[in-house]
Structure formats: C-alpha cells, structure tokens
Amino acid sequence: MTSNEKKPKRSFSPQFRAETVQLVITTGRPNKHVADELGITDQPLGLWVKQFNAENEARSVAAAAEPMPGRCQPL
C-alpha cells in the first residue's frame, strides 16, 4: 500500500462495540489498553465510550424527571 492509498475503513458490529465499551467501563482500564488488546485503535473506542456515557446521562436525566410512585407531585 502506498502512502497515498487509504486503508479500508473497518466496521464493527453493535455487539462488539457494546461489549468493548462494557470492558472499559467495568474494568476501569484505559481505552488505549483495551484497544491494544483487541487489535483496534483507541480512537473509535473513545468515541463509543463517549457515546455510551452521553446516552446514559440522557437516560439518567429523563429518569430523574419522571415522578416516583408515592412521592408528592409539585404543584
């Protein structure tokens, strides 16, 4: 491959992405270490983790806004 040719873009299944993100989250290991072990670059893994955190933050905010059973509702 010459310097002008680009590598073909790799695609990863949603299951692979989810399992890889869970590996980072549950072990607390740096993205770079997990990515190296799996033979991928840390750039897409960092994006997947960031996306996961943003989605969970949005869910947390939405859940906090929902009334809980047995609680008084604001007037």
Side-chain angles (χ1 to χ4, degrees):
M1 185 177 297
T2 65
S3 61
N4 291 341
E5 294 179 38
K6 291 185 178 182
K7 287 184 179 180
K9 186 174 179 179
R10 291 175 63 183
S11 63
F12 303 95
S13 71
Q15 180 180 358
F16 178 82
R17 292 178 187 208
E19 289 175 359
T20 304
V21 168
Q22 285 305 312
L23 188 58
V24 170
I25 304 265
T26 58
T27 64
R29 293 173 34 224
N31 295 352
K32 177 83 171 123
H33 292 180
V34 173
D36 287 345
E37 281 184 9
L38 297 174
I40 63 173
T41 62
D42 61 331
Q43 184 179 10
L45 178 53
L47 294 173
W48 302 340
V49 171
K50 188 181 288 189
Q51 182 180 21
F52 174 84
N53 288 334
E55 289 171 0
N56 279 345
E57 178 68 24
R59 284 188 204 124
S60 295
V61 169
E66 291 180 14
M68 294 183 67
R71 288 186 122 180
C72 294
Q73 299 299 317
L75 297 173

